[in-house]
Amino acid sequence: MFDLSRSVHNLPRTNKPLRVAVRQLHWFKAAFHAHAALCGGSIGCDFAIDDVKLAGAFVRWLDNVDRQKPKEKAERRAFFQFVPSLVLRELVVDMPIKAAHAPARVDPKSAAAFWPEGYVATTFCLTVYAATMDQEFHMDVHVSQMVDDLRSWWSFRENADQDMDYAAGFFQMLLGQQPNWWMPSNFCARTRSVDDVDNTNAPPPN
């Protein structure tokens, strides 16, 4: 089972609020490397990280956040809850991490063994999200058990290959949210009432 608490404590220290630090490439890069090393040690896998791809994902994510940031203060927490799903989307678009070999310390039928790169990217987003929500809102984050469910990861990888926006929806499901599967990476669309769009919460076919 993914150990969220251990991963949070493994993040690089910073004197700045995490909401600020995560928007700076040097901290984002250091945090991703640290998380990949922690995961690699846990599952018995070496990873190579392409820092050019990582920086590209970071820049695209910041641009997306700035374009979607709501003006209303009442939506601040909801936006904080939404933003990490955009990080995962950009990481999956051009995956910056590659496993050197199959993980040796986990069940071959586990989620981590099935897609180690996707598992590291997803748990990285969960880790930074949990640390930020605790700091900003004193809020504990509960991750769905589907984070270790192989069937969910099969669906995630298959659907993300066809539509990268699915990554955002998958992340939202991990937090117990109901994505708008028509536009899971659009904050305004996600926050609309279910009555506004027919079948908004119906997942796409596998």
Side-chain angles (χ1 to χ4, degrees):
M1 178 67 182
F2 168 56
D3 190 339
L4 181 59
S5 176
R6 184 184 178 203
S7 295
V8 167
H9 284 95
N10 186 61
L11 290 174
R13 294 185 178 181
T14 174
N15 293 325
K16 300 175 181 178
L18 280 176
R19 70 175 187 276
V20 175
V22 74
R23 291 177 62 94
Q24 298 178 333
L25 180 58
H26 65 88
W27 189 90
F28 185 92
K29 176 181 173 181
F32 191 85
H33 276 259
H35 184 74
L38 178 67
C39 287
S42 297
I43 68 177
C45 183
D46 296 321
F47 291 102
I49 298 175
D50 186 326
D51 285 329
V52 174
K53 288 185 177 181
L54 185 62
F58 172 80
V59 171
R60 292 193 305 272
W61 166 63
L62 277 188
D63 178 65
N64 207 336
V65 168
D66 290 340
R67 285 189 286 107
Q68 296 200 53
K69 185 176 180 179
K71 296 180 180 179
E72 297 79 5
K73 291 184 179 180
E75 293 187 313
R76 183 172 183 266
R77 189 167 82 168
F79 193 62
F80 267 74
Q81 292 174 311
F82 176 75
V83 161
S85 67
L86 299 180
V87 181
L88 182 58
R89 180 195 182 280
E90 296 306 333
L91 291 173
V92 171
V93 164
D94 194 11
M95 187 66 75
I97 183 171
K98 184 175 179 60
H101 51 80
R105 297 178 185 169
V106 290
D107 186 334
K109 296 182 180 179
S110 68
F114 166 66
W115 191 17
E117 297 89 350
Y119 194 82
V120 170
T122 301
T123 54
F124 167 72
C125 295
L126 287 170
T127 298
V128 177
Y129 169 73
T132 303
M133 295 304 288
D134 177 57
Q135 189 177 90
E136 292 292 322
F137 305 103
H138 307 293
M139 175 181 167
D140 291 331
V141 168
H142 300 284
V143 181
S144 168
Q145 291 184 353
M146 68 182 288
V147 73
D148 288 303
D149 177 27
L150 181 58
R151 292 171 301 176
S152 297
W153 284 85
W154 271 102
S155 178
F156 173 24
R157 190 170 188 177
E158 181 180 347
N159 282 289
D161 282 343
Q162 300 175 27
D163 182 359
M164 291 302 178
D165 281 342
Y166 187 89
F170 177 76
F171 187 87
Q172 291 156 26
M173 286 197 300
L174 288 177
L175 299 178
Q177 301 167 8
Q178 288 293 334
N180 176 344
W181 286 113
W182 293 104
M183 292 176 284
S185 62
N186 185 297
F187 178 69
C188 292
R190 175 184 168 273
T191 55
R192 282 187 295 176
S193 167
V194 175
D195 295 333
D196 292 338
V197 179
D198 291 337
N199 300 320
T200 291
N201 293 327
N206 291 335

